[in-house]
């Protein structure tokens, strides 16, 4: 699997395809049309590749950055940027992914624009609804993944315990052990 889905919320996992945003050299997980196709399949949005090309990739990255700008504004308590709102709404108005029932089950198919429309609609629901108050950014300094904190008491700190949570706890443990060894 090429992509990770720590949030359980596809638009926020899509935003996470640019890893470590604040680093001097963030890691781009959508560096080719093939990686965009893989994201749609691995996320479960589509059963097969959408046939992305370079233009589709540019459009997808622009939508991803618009969603991030809106999430960042919500996290910082700032007004959401009008340009990003317009971009998100433009995509949200697109055609949905095609669902078809067959004798053996169901299939999901569509173009890149249909996949992006589904992401945009879900992002609109998050940013424009009650879930916006649950938006958080991972507390691990190297991570910039955003997620919805649905934990009891809303005290979740990391995008995923198995990755960032374990790294932070292991580093804290090593620091305590190292500090205790000197004392």
């Amino acid at each position: 699997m090429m992509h990770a889905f720590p949030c359980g919320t596809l638009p926020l996992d899509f935003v996470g395809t640019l890893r470590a945003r604040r680093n001097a050299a963030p890691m781009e997980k959508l560096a080719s049309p093939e990686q965009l196709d893989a994201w749609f399949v691995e996320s479960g949005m589509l059963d097969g590749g959408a046939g992305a090309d370079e233009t589709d990739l540019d459009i997808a990255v622009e939508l991803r950055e618009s969603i991030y700008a809106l999430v960042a504004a919500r996290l910082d308590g700032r007004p959401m940027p009008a340009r990003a709102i317009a971009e998100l709404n433009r995509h949200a108005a697109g055609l949905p992914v095609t669902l078809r029932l067959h004798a053996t089950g169901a299939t999901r198919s569509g173009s890149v624009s249909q996949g992006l429309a589904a992401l945009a609609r879900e992002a609109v629901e998050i940013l424009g609804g009650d879930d916006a108050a649950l938006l958080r950014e991972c507390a691990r300094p190297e991570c910039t993944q955003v997620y919805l904190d649905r934990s009891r008491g809303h005290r979740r700190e990391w995008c995923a315990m198995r990755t960032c949570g374990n790294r932070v706890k292991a580093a804290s443990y090593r620091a305590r052990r190292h500090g205790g060894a000197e004392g």
Side-chain angles (χ1 to χ4, degrees):
M1 216 160 130
M2 184 182 307
H3 298 285
F5 300 89
C7 300
T9 307
L10 290 181
L12 300 181
D13 284 325
F14 189 65
V15 164
T17 58
L18 182 62
R19 302 257 169 83
R21 286 176 176 274
R22 289 185 289 273
N23 288 2
M27 182 189 311
E28 178 61 76
K29 300 298 283 182
L30 296 179
S32 71
E34 294 77 21
Q35 288 178 331
L36 178 58
D37 276 347
W39 192 90
F40 282 125
V41 172
E42 291 174 17
S43 71
M45 287 186 70
L46 300 174
D47 294 330
D53 62 21
E54 290 293 333
T55 301
D56 293 325
L57 180 61
D58 291 343
I59 291 167
V61 168
E62 185 176 350
L63 175 61
R64 177 189 70 192
E65 295 310 303
S66 291
I67 295 170
Y68 182 74
L70 295 166
V71 168
R74 283 291 206 174
L75 288 170
D76 295 341
R78 293 181 284 114
M80 293 188 293
R83 184 172 183 266
I85 290 172
E87 176 77 7
L88 185 65
N89 286 335
R90 185 173 64 75
H91 283 283
L95 294 172
V97 168
T98 302
L99 298 173
R100 294 208 190 285
L101 180 63
H102 306 280
T104 58
T107 58
R108 297 174 182 272
S109 62
S111 65
V112 170
S113 64
Q114 288 172 290
L116 295 177
L119 289 170
R121 279 191 288 280
E122 191 173 345
V124 166
E125 289 178 7
I126 292 167
L127 291 160
D130 293 339
D131 282 348
L134 303 177
L135 285 166
R136 304 285 186 275
E137 186 174 59
C138 184
R140 187 170 73 94
E142 300 80 25
C143 184
T144 54
Q145 183 71 54
V146 289
Y147 60 91
L148 294 176
D149 181 4
R150 297 188 189 281
S151 68
R152 178 186 254 175
H154 304 290
R155 293 188 304 245
R156 181 173 158 190
E157 296 180 57
W158 305 291
C159 59
M161 186 61 197
R162 71 183 180 280
T163 54
C164 290
N166 282 338
R167 288 177 187 159
V168 170
K169 287 184 174 228
S172 177
Y173 174 75
R174 284 191 302 272
R176 284 193 311 272
R177 280 197 55 161
H178 181 68
E182 291 178 4

